[in-house]
Amino acid sequence: MEVEAALESFHSLTLANIMPRLETMPVVTADADLLSVLKILRSRHHVWVVESRENMKLVGVIRYIDVIDVLLPPEAHKFKLGMTSKIMRSMLGGATKAEDVAERHVLTIDKDATVLDALMKMRKYRVQVLAVVEDGKLVGEVSLRILIDELLRLLRVGGAQWKQ
């Protein structure tokens, strides 16, 4: 299998076929305390926030980088129009639960979308992870790491050789 052919089949894979099982993903409920969120973020780059484990309705995402806002005191956020949400996200500003600090505007993609669709969306919005949703419910995720792993797996299986 040539690299071109491997990339072509890679691009046409649907996300449903490559996304990790829900149990393996970093997920907390909206009412989870911030300490449990921070514990997950020690080893993960993001945590999905859902309404409940039963309905899995996506509330938002907390990214590793967002922890800076959580840890800073409210006065460290220079007050500008539209910055009030960041002040509220501070632990000292009163944030106690996952839903208090979650970014509500989550980039999502359908489970029937292709790897190419996901890559195009990641590039357009300069993100490394997308929530895979179905009817507003979190069903999976796709990240650059998952895509790299899948491409390497395809190349190994197909025995493709990189040619100079």
Side-chain angles (χ1 to χ4, degrees), residues 3 39 48 75 78 92 98 103 112 116 149-150 156:
V3 173
K39 284 176 186 168
W48 302 111
E75 60 273 13
K78 291 196 171 68
L92 289 171
E103 170 57 58
D112 298 320
L116 184 60
D149 286 348
E150 190 57 31
R156 266 197 315 277

Side-chain angles (χ1 to χ4, degrees), residues 31-42:
D31 61 355
D33 68 284
L34 282 182
L35 291 180
S36 51
V37 171
L38 291 175
K39 284 176 186 168
I40 294 169
L41 287 171
R42 285 191 308 193

Side-chain angles (χ1 to χ4, degrees), residues 111-140:
K111 70 179 176 58
D112 298 320
T114 64
V115 164
L116 184 60
D117 297 330
L119 286 167
M120 296 295 284
K121 194 164 197 172
M122 287 173 168
R123 184 180 71 181
K124 181 178 180 179
Y125 295 102
R126 306 205 49 74
V127 297
Q128 297 162 6
V129 66
L130 300 169
V132 180
V133 294
E134 190 174 22
D135 302 320
K137 294 176 188 204
L138 182 68
V139 295

Side-chain angles (χ1 to χ4, degrees), residues 5-38:
L7 279 169
E8 210 170 291
S9 57
F10 172 64
H11 287 152
S12 62
L13 287 170
T14 60
L15 300 180
N17 293 321
I18 64 165
M19 61 190 193
R21 293 188 334 276
L22 212 49
E23 316 77 79
T24 67
M25 291 172 37
V27 177
V28 296
T29 54
D31 61 355
D33 68 284
L34 282 182
L35 291 180
S36 51
V37 171
L38 291 175

